[in-house]
Amino acid sequence: MRIDAHQHFWRYRSEDYPWIGTGMDLLAQDRLPYQFQPLLEAQGLHASITVQACPGRDETAFLLEMARRDKRIAGIIGWEDIARPDLAEQMERWGRTKFLGLRHQIQDDDTPAAAPSQAQFGQGMRWLQERGYVVDVLAHERQRPALREFCTRHDQHWLVLNHLAKPPLKEFRKGRAAFDRWRQELRELTAMPHVACKISGLLTEADWLRGLSMRDFEHIVQCLDTALDLFGPQRLMFGSDWPVCLLAASYSRVVAVVREWSATRLSAADQEALWGESSATIYGLMT
């Protein structure tokens, strides 16, 4: 099974998605399976993992209901308050059918919930990992120390870095230093065997408002080469980040960038890992 391991659906309300701002009209509208599935199938992909895009239970319930109705949605990464004292009861109410795990957005935390003082959060993470839930993690560059602390502390099951730990592609235009810093920080994370990574969201980390240049694509390939070198194909997964990717490029272009790169770097078996087998293993999918 070939899987897009990172995409979103939503019914748009501005108060629910404040991160959708000026210049993002393509996102300020409902984004639903009937719009996405033809794009998925046209690229020879069979299923997707749908990831939360706002911190609320209403969206999680919405995603879970869609997943239960649609076999092309392999599962969801939802939202829940990991620090809530009754986390176990809430997760049991959600059920395990297609509920693969939660996303923790370090980038939204002024004081990261992974801090040692957050005892209840730590208990919640232990409960999740002991029961085989995957936790996706999203962080900005400035939060890499918090990301490293989080990954070090919670090592009982898979943690999945979203968007290749957000390489600062805009800064790459200014010189080598930003790339070297990102690579070293990524190397520290890849040394932890429970940390995997999604190749997703790279085109929108570049300066999409100005338009992507050939140099941007060269930097993206540089990031992909780095990810392969550090993680290997067994801990890498393709994800489109649709519909957010549409700010920078079409779905077919996003797929083509990774497909063209992987065809020249990976064996047939390793391409199968990147395009689905790694996702199936890490998220515990039935294929």
Side-chain angles (χ1 to χ4, degrees), residues 56 65 73 80 132 134 142 161 167 181 184 189 193 200 214 223 253 260 268 272 274 285:
E65 181 60 27
I73 303 174
E80 188 51 76
V134 177
R142 67 181 182 275
L161 306 178
R181 183 176 65 251
Q184 178 55 37
L189 295 168
S200 59
M214 286 302 299
C223 290
R253 182 62 176 137
E260 292 166 10
E272 290 301 315
L274 176 72
L285 302 176

Side-chain angles (χ1 to χ4, degrees), residues 70-136:
D70 192 335
K71 66 181 181 180
R72 294 165 297 185
I73 303 174
I76 76 156
I77 297 296
W79 180 90
E80 188 51 76
D81 179 1
I82 297 174
R84 64 181 293 165
D86 61 342
L87 177 66
E89 290 81 358
Q90 180 60 42
M91 294 299 293
E92 288 166 4
R93 282 193 287 270
W94 289 124
R96 289 304 294 259
T97 303
K98 290 199 171 183
F99 203 128
L100 307 178
L102 301 177
R103 181 154 75 155
H104 177 49
Q105 298 199 39
I106 293 175
Q107 72 172 26
D108 291 342
D109 292 344
D110 294 325
T111 303
S117 61
Q118 299 293 330
Q120 191 65 54
F121 180 90
Q123 291 176 20
M125 281 296 300
R126 283 193 295 276
W127 187 92
L128 292 166
Q129 292 196 309
E130 286 170 359
R131 286 153 184 82
Y133 287 101
V134 177
V135 176
D136 275 30

Side-chain angles (χ1 to χ4, degrees), residues 54-69:
C54 82
R57 295 186 187 93
D58 287 348
E59 188 199 58
T60 296
F62 165 68
L63 298 179
L64 194 55
E65 181 60 27
M66 286 194 301
R68 287 168 174 162
R69 295 180 178 183

Side-chain angles (χ1 to χ4, degrees), residues 98-251:
K98 290 199 171 183
F99 203 128
L100 307 178
L102 301 177
R103 181 154 75 155
H104 177 49
Q105 298 199 39
I106 293 175
Q107 72 172 26
D108 291 342
D109 292 344
D110 294 325
T111 303
S117 61
Q118 299 293 330
Q120 191 65 54
F121 180 90
Q123 291 176 20
M125 281 296 300
R126 283 193 295 276
W127 187 92
L128 292 166
Q129 292 196 309
E130 286 170 359
R131 286 153 184 82
Y133 287 101
V134 177
V135 176
D136 275 30
V137 192
L138 185 63
H140 286 304
E141 181 187 16
R142 67 181 182 275
Q143 295 155 329
R144 295 267 165 72
L147 175 61
R148 185 170 57 251
E149 166 80 10
F150 178 87
C151 292
T152 300
R153 183 173 296 277
H154 305 296
D155 62 355
Q156 299 306 303
H157 194 57
W158 288 108
L159 302 175
V160 177
L161 306 178
N162 289 182
H163 309 331
L164 202 48
K166 289 205 166 188
L169 287 167
K170 297 181 185 71
E171 296 298 314
F172 286 9
R173 290 184 175 188
K174 300 176 183 178
R176 178 83 184 185
F179 171 78
D180 289 342
R181 183 176 65 251
W182 169 77
R183 179 185 171 88
Q184 178 55 37
E185 291 167 341
L186 192 67
R187 183 187 296 277
E188 294 170 359
L189 295 168
T190 61
M192 307 178 202
H194 62 291
V195 176
C197 190
K198 291 178 184 176
I199 291 175
S200 59
L202 294 181
L203 274 66
T204 47
E205 288 304 309
D207 195 352
W208 54 269
L209 279 170
R210 295 186 181 181
L212 301 184
S213 67
M214 286 302 299
R215 191 176 179 191
D216 288 319
F217 283 104
E218 290 169 2
H219 290 154
I220 288 168
V221 169
Q222 192 176 25
C223 290
L224 295 174
D225 286 343
T226 299
L228 179 62
D229 179 46
L230 296 179
F231 279 103
Q234 306 306 318
R235 288 195 285 159
L236 284 180
M237 297 166 271
F238 167 76
S240 67
D241 200 27
W242 185 93
V244 180
C245 67
L246 300 178
L247 296 173
S250 67
Y251 187 81

Side-chain angles (χ1 to χ4, degrees), residues 16 53 132:
D16 292 337

